Amino acid sequence: MIYTRFIGTGSYLPEKILTNHDLEKMVDIDTSDQWIRERTGIAKRHIAADDETTCDLAEHAARAALDAAGKKAADIDLLVLATTTPDKIFPSTACLLQSRLGMKNHPAFDVQAVCSGFVYAVSIAEKFIRSGSHQRALVVGAETFSRLIDWTDRSTCVLFGDGAGAVVLEASTEPGIHSTHLHADGAYEELLHVPGGVSLGFDIEGDNINDPHYTHMRGNEVFKVAVNTLGQIVEETLVANQLQKSDIDWLVPHQANTRIIDATARKLNMSKDRVVVTVDQHANTSAASIPLALDVAVRDGRIKRGEKVLLEAFGGGFTWGSVLFTY
Ligand code: COA
């Protein structure tokens, strides 16, 4: 049996920090540090510099993950990058990153599943490795999500930020990833979306569409579906692996909102000290949020070899999914 192991993690946040107090001065209708902290748990977010791209953030995180794994770029034979904010329409940001890292020939491609992108990307890489066709994958989640935000719209701008996280996955006879679970339901398109696009164009009118270049969200409805769906994916993962809730050592959830994270942790009966939370430090970085949180908890020594870790994600689409692995 070929398993897929996590052998290195890395992450990167851009230098510029935007605090809740900064946002108080930017939005169209009032907001406050207190409101943002109480409703979301977020204290600040990092914003890419004007000349800094998703690939720049991805490169920092990828190099850190390769160093942590003790591997060189030449050791990698698959690159999967999850992003909703690619540098260019094409080539893919994965191809741009491949070239930056001095790699050639192996497959490199982007995955677009918004905030579930990293879980999708890990699941895809795991299938390549388990099939025996590839040995070692670099999997990255990277976003400059700030570029999809109207920074005067208080209902969305307080929630998002920029960042990148990466992992190196390797074939092994020891577990490894036990299972991955992916889902989508496109019927929820209107609850969370950027209305414009390459094919549809940006000349779009409709209810609540002020500017089709930016993220539009019906936050309250998204919140309810997210909590229900994340509870279901946790249950599905436990049943598939014949595990009890108490068998999970660490929950590394998508970092969107502490109230969503707390609700999922309660369904798992997990105490707060077994749940990795970094959303307060960087807000929702979409596909980057899970690898960012994972890297923090691996580097500060919380997540140890042999422990069972559950990653779970939810995002635009809607998309959702989970990855259960022994670290
Ligand atoms: N500052 C102050 N007030 C705000 C605000 C802000 N930044 N954003 C919204 N409000 C107001 C609303 O206008 C509303 O005012 P009203 O009652 O006068 O109409 C009030 O706060 C309550 O709005 P509501 O949307 O019901 O609040 P909420 O408790 O649901 O919290 C979110 C709003 C966005 C924080 C919450 O719905 C959420 O986190 N949703 C999920 C978002 C998410 O994670 N999306 C990504 C998923 S991958």
XYZ file of all heavy atoms in Angstrom, residues 1-60:
485
model
N 0.853 -1.206 0.000
C 0.000 0.000 0.000
C 0.886 1.253 0.000
O 1.803 1.366 0.815
C -0.874 -0.041 1.267
C -1.663 1.216 1.547
S -3.251 1.213 0.678
C -3.896 2.812 1.085
N 0.612 2.163 -0.936
C 1.368 3.421 -0.956
C 0.559 4.491 -0.224
O -0.584 4.762 -0.589
C 1.631 3.907 -2.407
C 2.360 2.835 -3.219
C 2.445 5.210 -2.392
C 2.510 3.206 -4.697
N 1.158 5.059 0.811
C 0.542 6.184 1.512
C 1.206 7.490 1.090
O 2.260 7.475 0.446
C 0.717 6.034 3.020
C -0.141 4.960 3.641
C 0.414 3.722 3.956
C -1.474 5.189 3.925
C -0.353 2.733 4.534
C -2.248 4.205 4.501
C -1.687 2.975 4.808
O -2.452 2.008 5.375
N 0.592 8.593 1.502
C 1.149 9.917 1.226
C 1.402 10.612 2.555
O 0.467 10.796 3.346
C 0.155 10.742 0.392
O -0.065 10.056 -0.841
C 0.695 12.134 0.103
N 2.662 10.971 2.802
C 3.002 11.628 4.074
C 3.325 13.100 3.877
O 3.866 13.499 2.852
C 4.204 10.939 4.722
C 3.916 9.523 5.155
C 4.993 9.009 6.077
N 4.945 9.677 7.364
C 6.017 9.962 8.094
N 7.217 9.654 7.653
N 5.885 10.552 9.266
N 3.023 13.882 4.900
C 3.417 15.291 4.937
C 4.851 15.331 5.470
O 5.086 14.954 6.618
C 2.501 16.080 5.890
C 1.133 16.364 5.349
C 0.210 15.345 5.172
C 0.759 17.660 5.020
C -1.062 15.609 4.678
C -0.520 17.932 4.522
C -1.433 16.903 4.351
N 5.804 15.794 4.654
C 7.199 15.795 5.130
C 7.751 17.210 5.328
O 8.884 17.368 5.788
C 8.131 14.975 4.215
C 8.172 15.560 2.799
C 7.725 13.508 4.194
C 9.354 15.045 1.983
N 7.006 18.247 4.989
C 7.490 19.614 5.246
C 6.374 20.614 5.034
O 5.503 20.412 4.182
N 6.380 21.676 5.838
C 5.366 22.735 5.687
C 6.062 24.098 5.656
O 7.168 24.254 6.188
C 4.369 22.744 6.870
O 5.078 23.061 8.071
C 3.654 21.415 7.031
N 5.411 25.066 5.036
C 5.950 26.434 4.999
C 4.822 27.420 4.808
O 3.736 27.042 4.345
N 5.051 28.675 5.168
C 4.005 29.683 4.961
C 4.628 31.066 4.854
O 5.802 31.258 5.191
C 2.976 29.653 6.097
O 3.581 29.944 7.330
N 3.830 31.994 4.376
C 4.322 33.367 4.224
C 3.160 34.348 4.289
O 2.107 34.123 3.694
C 5.036 33.532 2.880
C 5.546 34.934 2.658
C 6.670 35.402 3.334
C 4.873 35.807 1.802
C 7.127 36.700 3.158
C 5.325 37.109 1.619
C 6.453 37.542 2.294
O 6.896 38.832 2.118
N 3.371 35.431 5.027
C 2.407 36.540 5.066
C 3.118 37.806 4.608
O 4.248 38.072 5.052
C 1.878 36.734 6.494
C 0.956 35.628 7.022
C 0.769 35.748 8.532
C -0.395 35.685 6.310
N 2.485 38.598 3.740
C 3.131 39.840 3.301
C 3.348 40.805 4.463
O 2.665 40.713 5.483
C 2.159 40.428 2.287
C 0.996 39.524 2.214
C 1.182 38.373 3.132
N 4.299 41.738 4.261
C 4.701 42.620 5.374
C 3.613 43.576 5.842
O 3.438 43.808 7.031
C 5.909 43.463 4.945
C 7.229 42.782 5.225
C 8.395 43.583 4.711
O 8.330 44.833 4.726
O 9.365 42.944 4.273
N 2.870 44.129 4.866
C 1.913 45.180 5.225
C 0.744 44.616 6.056
O 0.136 43.612 5.676
C 1.363 45.832 3.956
C 0.424 46.992 4.251
C -0.112 47.626 2.975
C -1.249 48.570 3.303
N -1.942 49.041 2.110
N 0.456 45.279 7.166
C -0.635 44.837 8.042
C -1.742 45.885 8.048
O -1.477 47.084 8.129
C -0.099 44.621 9.477
C 0.811 43.390 9.509
C -1.242 44.469 10.483
C 1.520 43.171 10.824
N -2.975 45.400 7.947
C -4.152 46.280 8.020
C -4.943 45.858 9.258
O -5.427 44.716 9.333
C -4.977 46.076 6.751
C -5.971 47.139 6.325
C -5.281 48.470 6.047
C -6.696 46.667 5.065
N -5.036 46.736 10.237
C -5.744 46.381 11.476
C -7.225 46.735 11.355
O -7.630 47.462 10.439
C -5.171 47.158 12.676
O -5.451 48.548 12.461
C -3.674 46.938 12.830
N -7.996 46.264 12.324
C -9.421 46.636 12.362
C -9.571 48.150 12.511
O -10.493 48.746 11.950
C -10.119 45.927 13.525
C -10.160 44.420 13.326
O -9.943 43.935 12.213
N -10.429 43.682 14.390
N -8.663 48.747 13.273
C -8.734 50.209 13.460
C -8.493 50.929 12.135
O -9.115 51.950 11.850
C -7.730 50.662 14.517
C -8.082 50.164 15.891
N -9.208 50.577 16.555
C -7.471 49.267 16.692
C -9.274 49.953 17.730
N -8.231 49.143 17.827
N -7.582 50.379 11.309
C -7.371 50.971 9.969
C -8.672 50.922 9.167
O -9.024 51.877 8.472
C -6.291 50.203 9.195
C -4.912 50.317 9.830
O -4.628 51.373 10.414
O -4.141 49.336 9.736
N -9.391 49.789 9.265
C -10.635 49.634 8.490
C -11.727 50.587 8.960
O -12.573 50.996 8.163
C -11.131 48.185 8.564
C -10.303 47.175 7.768
C -10.840 45.765 7.968
C -10.310 47.514 6.283
N -11.697 50.909 10.231
C -12.701 51.865 10.754
C -12.682 53.153 9.930
O -13.712 53.808 9.761
C -12.409 52.200 12.224
C -12.731 51.069 13.189
C -12.266 51.375 14.615
O -11.703 52.462 14.860
O -12.467 50.502 15.482
N -11.482 53.500 9.413
C -11.353 54.759 8.649
C -11.638 54.566 7.161
O -11.733 55.541 6.421
C -9.926 55.296 8.808
C -9.584 55.670 10.240
C -8.097 55.972 10.361
C -7.581 55.608 11.739
N -6.253 55.028 11.743
N -11.768 53.310 6.705
C -11.852 53.066 5.260
C -13.257 52.752 4.750
O -13.559 53.000 3.579
C -10.944 51.886 4.884
C -9.464 52.220 5.005
S -8.425 50.733 4.951
C -8.690 50.166 3.296
N -14.126 52.157 5.580
C -15.386 51.630 5.054
C -16.447 52.718 4.871
O -16.334 53.800 5.451
C -15.950 50.502 5.954
C -14.978 49.349 6.034
C -16.294 51.025 7.329
N -17.465 52.387 4.055
C -18.488 53.396 3.726
C -19.420 53.677 4.903
O -19.676 54.822 5.252
C -19.284 52.967 2.478
C -19.827 51.544 2.573
O -19.575 50.871 3.598
O -20.499 51.108 1.635
N -19.942 52.592 5.531
C -20.762 52.776 6.739
C -19.881 52.337 7.908
O -18.924 51.602 7.720
C -22.046 51.919 6.704
C -22.605 51.856 5.288
C -23.080 52.442 7.687
C -23.769 50.899 5.117
N -20.233 52.725 9.117
C -19.369 52.460 10.273
C -19.058 50.981 10.485
O -19.897 50.116 10.309
C -20.049 52.967 11.555
C -19.968 54.476 11.631
O -19.255 55.058 10.785
O -20.620 55.045 12.520
N -17.840 50.726 10.925
C -17.521 49.442 11.532
C -16.642 49.755 12.739
O -16.247 50.900 12.950
C -16.810 48.487 10.553
O -16.766 47.189 11.129
C -15.396 48.940 10.206
N -16.326 48.721 13.529
C -15.485 48.962 14.700
C -14.653 47.720 14.981
O -15.044 46.604 14.617
C -16.343 49.283 15.919
O -17.104 48.134 16.262
N -13.538 47.951 15.644
C -12.679 46.841 16.066
C -13.501 45.853 16.896
O -13.417 44.633 16.693
C -11.510 47.404 16.883
C -10.622 46.318 17.437
O -10.138 45.493 16.640
O -10.415 46.279 18.666
N -14.331 46.379 17.774
C -15.131 45.512 18.660
C -16.094 44.632 17.847
O -16.194 43.426 18.083
C -15.910 46.374 19.651
C -16.578 45.528 20.721
C -17.544 46.342 21.571
O -17.599 47.567 21.477
N -18.301 45.659 22.398
N -16.797 45.245 16.858
C -17.751 44.478 16.038
C -17.013 43.360 15.300
O -17.450 42.201 15.282
C -18.467 45.384 15.034
C -19.644 44.723 14.357
C -20.955 44.822 14.714
C -19.614 43.836 13.222
N -21.746 44.070 13.875
C -20.955 43.446 12.950
C -18.603 43.322 12.405
C -21.295 42.588 11.907
C -18.943 42.443 11.368
C -20.271 42.099 11.125
N -15.876 43.711 14.691
C -15.154 42.717 13.873
C -14.651 41.573 14.762
O -14.787 40.399 14.422
C -13.988 43.375 13.094
C -14.519 44.483 12.170
C -13.221 42.339 12.286
C -13.445 45.375 11.558
N -14.083 41.913 15.921
C -13.574 40.858 16.818
C -14.709 39.964 17.313
O -14.582 38.738 17.335
C -12.869 41.480 18.023
C -11.468 41.956 17.721
C -10.871 42.613 18.959
N -9.686 43.368 18.637
C -8.446 42.899 18.735
N -8.234 41.679 19.152
N -7.406 43.667 18.410
N -15.831 40.579 17.704
C -16.935 39.773 18.265
C -17.584 38.867 17.221
O -17.915 37.724 17.502
C -18.006 40.703 18.855
C -17.605 41.222 20.220
C -18.618 42.218 20.792
O -19.727 42.385 20.207
O -18.285 42.838 21.803
N -17.761 39.377 15.996
C -18.475 38.586 14.978
C -17.568 37.640 14.197
O -18.059 36.714 13.561
C -19.160 39.506 13.957
C -20.165 40.466 14.534
C -21.411 39.741 15.026
N -22.331 40.694 15.616
C -23.512 41.015 15.108
N -23.932 40.424 14.017
N -24.277 41.897 15.703
N -16.250 37.915 14.178
C -15.371 37.113 13.315
C -14.123 36.578 14.026
O -13.490 35.657 13.528
C -14.859 37.951 12.117
O -13.905 38.907 12.584
C -15.988 38.674 11.402
N -13.724 37.190 15.125
C -12.478 36.811 15.798
C -11.237 37.391 15.150
O -10.113 37.122 15.578
N -11.422 38.197 14.110
C -10.270 38.706 13.351
C -9.753 40.022 13.965
O -10.541 40.916 14.285
C -10.670 38.942 11.871
C -11.030 37.612 11.204
C -9.527 39.642 11.102
C -11.784 37.752 9.878
N -8.415 40.117 14.103
C -7.812 41.344 14.645
C -7.085 42.132 13.556
O -7.001 43.355 13.616
C -6.826 40.996 15.754
N -6.521 41.412 12.572
C -5.753 42.092 11.524
C -5.634 41.171 10.310
O -5.945 39.983 10.383
C -4.362 42.454 12.031
C -3.554 41.256 12.503
C -2.196 41.674 12.996
C -1.401 40.445 13.398
N -0.010 40.624 13.607
N -5.183 41.742 9.218
C -4.937 40.958 8.002
C -3.681 41.518 7.334
O -3.337 42.699 7.539
C -6.149 40.914 7.056
C -6.619 42.142 6.383
C -7.347 43.156 7.244
N -8.624 42.748 7.809
C -9.015 43.018 9.063
N -8.247 43.735 9.884
N -10.172 42.623 9.525
N -2.993 40.682 6.548
C -1.800 41.106 5.801
C -2.208 41.361 4.350
O -2.995 40.595 3.789
C -0.716 40.041 5.858
C -0.133 39.871 7.225
N 1.185 40.160 7.511
C -0.694 39.456 8.388
C 1.402 39.929 8.798
N 0.291 39.495 9.354
N -1.623 42.412 3.766
C -2.000 42.801 2.403
C -0.747 42.851 1.535
O 0.260 43.490 1.904
C -2.682 44.198 2.403
C -3.884 44.220 3.376
C -3.099 44.606 0.984
C -5.056 43.334 3.002
N -0.796 42.185 0.384
C 0.344 42.176 -0.531
C 0.656 43.600 -1.006
O -0.265 44.405 -1.210
C 0.034 41.283 -1.728
N 1.951 43.900 -1.166
C 2.354 45.198 -1.721
C 1.854 45.292 -3.160
O 1.559 44.277 -3.799
C 3.880 45.318 -1.690
N 1.785 46.522 -3.686
C 1.219 46.723 -5.034
C 1.943 45.881 -6.090
O 1.332 45.416 -7.047
C 1.308 48.204 -5.427
C 0.324 49.034 -4.619
O -0.551 48.429 -3.971
O 0.459 50.274 -4.616
N 3.269 45.714 -5.904
C 4.034 44.960 -6.909
C 4.258 43.502 -6.496
O 5.095 42.810 -7.062
C 5.379 45.645 -7.174
C 6.220 45.723 -5.909
O 5.703 45.382 -4.818
O 7.395 46.119 -6.011
N 3.519 43.037 -5.498
C 3.685 41.665 -5.010
C 2.514 40.822 -5.513
O 1.355 41.231 -5.369
C 3.681 41.702 -3.480
C 4.367 40.552 -2.810
C 4.474 40.792 -1.292
O 3.650 41.552 -0.719
O 5.377 40.210 -0.692
N 2.808 39.655 -6.074
C 1.753 38.827 -6.675
C 1.550 37.535 -5.887
O 2.349 37.191 -4.998
C 2.107 38.439 -8.119
O 3.224 37.540 -8.059
C 2.445 39.649 -8.968
N 0.523 36.807 -6.282
C 0.262 35.497 -5.671
C 1.480 34.585 -5.811
O 1.847 33.876 -4.877
C -0.982 34.867 -6.339
O -2.119 35.667 -6.014
C -1.224 33.447 -5.865
N 2.127 34.620 -6.987
C 3.307 33.757 -7.192
C 4.445 34.147 -6.248
O 5.175 33.277 -5.759
C 3.764 33.823 -8.651
S 5.002 32.583 -9.034
N 4.592 35.459 -5.966
C 5.627 35.893 -5.016
C 5.375 35.279 -3.633
O 6.298 34.771 -2.988
C 5.633 37.422 -4.876
C 6.065 38.127 -6.149
O 6.908 37.571 -6.870
O 5.545 39.234 -6.422
N 4.125 35.356 -3.184
C 3.790 34.800 -1.864
C 4.009 33.280 -1.879
O 4.558 32.698 -0.940
C 2.339 35.104 -1.481
C 1.830 36.542 -1.588
C 0.453 36.664 -0.949
C 2.772 37.533 -0.955
N 3.562 32.645 -2.970
C 3.693 31.188 -3.094
C 5.155 30.761 -3.048
O 5.496 29.741 -2.438
C 3.050 30.727 -4.404
N 6.021 31.553 -3.676
C 7.449 31.185 -3.725
C 8.047 31.154 -2.317
O 8.777 30.224 -1.964
C 8.213 32.168 -4.622
C 9.668 31.772 -4.778
C 10.470 32.739 -5.645
O 9.872 33.645 -6.272
O 11.711 32.583 -5.676
N 7.728 32.170 -1.508
C 8.244 32.185 -0.130
C 7.797 30.930 0.627
O 8.593 30.272 1.295
C 7.709 33.404 0.627
C 8.348 34.701 0.246
N 9.644 35.014 0.600
C 7.876 35.769 -0.422
C 9.945 36.227 0.157
N 8.886 36.702 -0.480
